[in-house]
Amino acid sequence: PETVDQDYHFEQVSAWPQSSLQLGQVSGLALDSDSNLVIFHRGDHHWGADSFNNQARYQQRSLGPIQQSAILVVDPSKGSILKASGRNMFFLPHGITTDKENNYWVTDVALHQVLKVSSDGKDRTLMALGEAFIPGSDNNHFCQPTDVAVDTESGNIFVSDGYCNARIIKFSADGKYLSEWGAGSSDRRRRIPFQIPHSLVLLPDKKEICVADRENGRIQCFIAETGEFVKEIKKDEFGGEVFAVSYSPTGDGLIFAVNGESLSRPVPIRGFVIDYSTKDILDTFSPNKKEFKMPHDIAETRDGSVFVGDASSKSVYKFTTEKLHHSVK
Ligand SMILES: O=C(N[C@@H](O)C(=O)O)c1ccccc1
């Protein structure tokens, strides 16, 4: 039988972006329906040790919302800014995704909210889940929600909640609470609860949700409909922290991830290309000259370019691969 062994080798495109994007801490990346890169960043706001009190309440409301455009749509080939929006509405951006109508779905850890925002430049808030600035763990409150995924078929919305909760919540397209899963599900491999579900992604062809369970240094995947545990991807190469997980839109069945600094298990900070079905690491990558500091999100375009947003170095890096296809008879 013929097997096609695809060797991936990603290299940074060091000339991207052509000019500075004037970014703050980059927290989230997404692709819009034109396959442009969407960057969600914090402008002049920072998430520091004193940003929250020990009830997870944001302490810097007096700063007001970020005045810069927190949502930038950028040309993936040149890096030029095509659209800028999201002014005066966010405090601490975190996750971002788009839906089939090209709306932005974002989380803000200071607002403890998930917001559906129009991408027409008018920044209309089309839906708000959670109560502004009020953390909680019931059906109508989040605690520092980290990411959101939209199932384009069912319209269902999945929220990873969050730094101070440890659950995935499913809502209907019109924002009704449907169900949640997290700590303590029956499966033995889920006995260990989430420790900061930091990023999540829907695998549309598999109808599964994969979660970057950050401090557990692992990715866990579940049936989107039921929350039933499917598999875990945990690699020594990850070290102790996995910050983000995303899925290739090219249909190659590839998962992308970035790991993070772990004092207990120091390993190189890198991007990972993983074969979803075999769980094999096909490639790892990092910038040519600089090091990753806190890679916070990762996204691949349909043409196979991979972007990584770094919250500490306030940068977005572009990587491409020349796929070395060869088939073995
Ligand atoms: O994890 C943290 N931050 C990053 O994930 C982020 O900036 O989203 C953090 C936690 C405690 C204090 C300060 C920062």
Side-chain angles (χ1 to χ4, degrees), residues 25 27 42 47-49 93-94 163 196 198 214 243 294 296 311:
Q25 292 183 324
S27 62
R42 297 179 179 148
W47 184 352
H94 204 274
Y163 283 82
I196 306 186
H198 190 255
R214 192 173 84 174
F243 269 66
M294 184 189 277
H296 207 258

Side-chain angles (χ1 to χ4, degrees), residues 104-305:
Y104 304 130
W105 290 80
V106 296
T107 73
D108 183 311
V109 290
L111 286 169
H112 300 289
Q113 285 186 301
V114 174
L115 300 175
K116 176 185 181 181
V117 179
S118 68
S119 59
D120 57 0
K122 299 195 178 80
D123 286 330
R124 288 173 292 120
T125 298
L126 307 171
M127 187 187 297
L129 300 176
E131 186 181 352
F133 299 111
I134 310 295
S137 51
D138 59 18
N139 297 359
N140 314 301
H141 291 84
F142 303 112
C143 194
Q144 295 173 324
T146 55
D147 206 359
V148 51
V150 181
D151 178 354
T152 47
E153 260 179 45
S154 62
N156 288 341
I157 300 137
F158 297 86
V159 179
S160 42
D161 175 40
Y163 283 82
C164 26
N165 283 332
R167 59 181 180 170
I168 306 299
I169 313 176
K170 180 164 75 167
F171 295 91
S172 64
D174 55 0
K176 299 245 174 331
Y177 174 95
L178 294 177
S179 62
E180 69 182 77
W181 70 88
S185 79
S186 54
D187 186 287
R188 59 178 173 72
R189 283 157 297 185
R190 286 284 303 124
R191 193 83 63 219
I192 304 167
F194 290 135
Q195 274 198 63
I196 306 186
H198 190 255
S199 152
L200 86 174
V201 65
L202 177 86
L203 284 58
D205 54 327
K206 301 187 191 312
K207 299 196 185 326
E208 290 177 15
I209 293 277
C210 290
V211 179
D213 183 11
R214 192 173 84 174
E215 264 62 7
N216 280 324
R218 65 186 183 182
I219 294 164
Q220 290 199 330
C221 302
F222 307 86
I223 307 278
E225 189 51 40
T226 61
E228 184 188 344
F229 177 85
V230 172
K231 70 166 71 174
E232 175 173 293
I233 302 175
K234 183 165 184 165
K235 298 286 182 184
D236 290 343
E237 293 87 339
F238 289 165
E241 309 220 342
V242 176
F243 269 66
V245 60
S246 76
Y247 187 57
S248 171
T250 62
D252 284 358
L254 300 181
I255 288 275
F256 292 89
V258 283
N259 69 332
E261 194 77 53
S262 154
L263 303 179
S264 56
R265 298 173 54 191
V267 291
I269 310 299
R270 292 176 287 182
F272 295 82
V273 187
I274 298 164
D275 180 310
Y276 177 70
S277 45
T278 65
K279 302 188 191 181
D280 290 339
I281 294 176
L282 303 182
D283 186 30
T284 63
F285 54 92
S286 59
N288 294 330
K289 297 189 179 52
K290 300 206 290 193
E291 299 277 303
F292 279 140
K293 286 205 188 119
M294 184 189 277
H296 207 258
D297 204 357
I298 184 165
E300 188 198 27
T301 62
R302 248 174 266 289
D303 77 358
S305 304

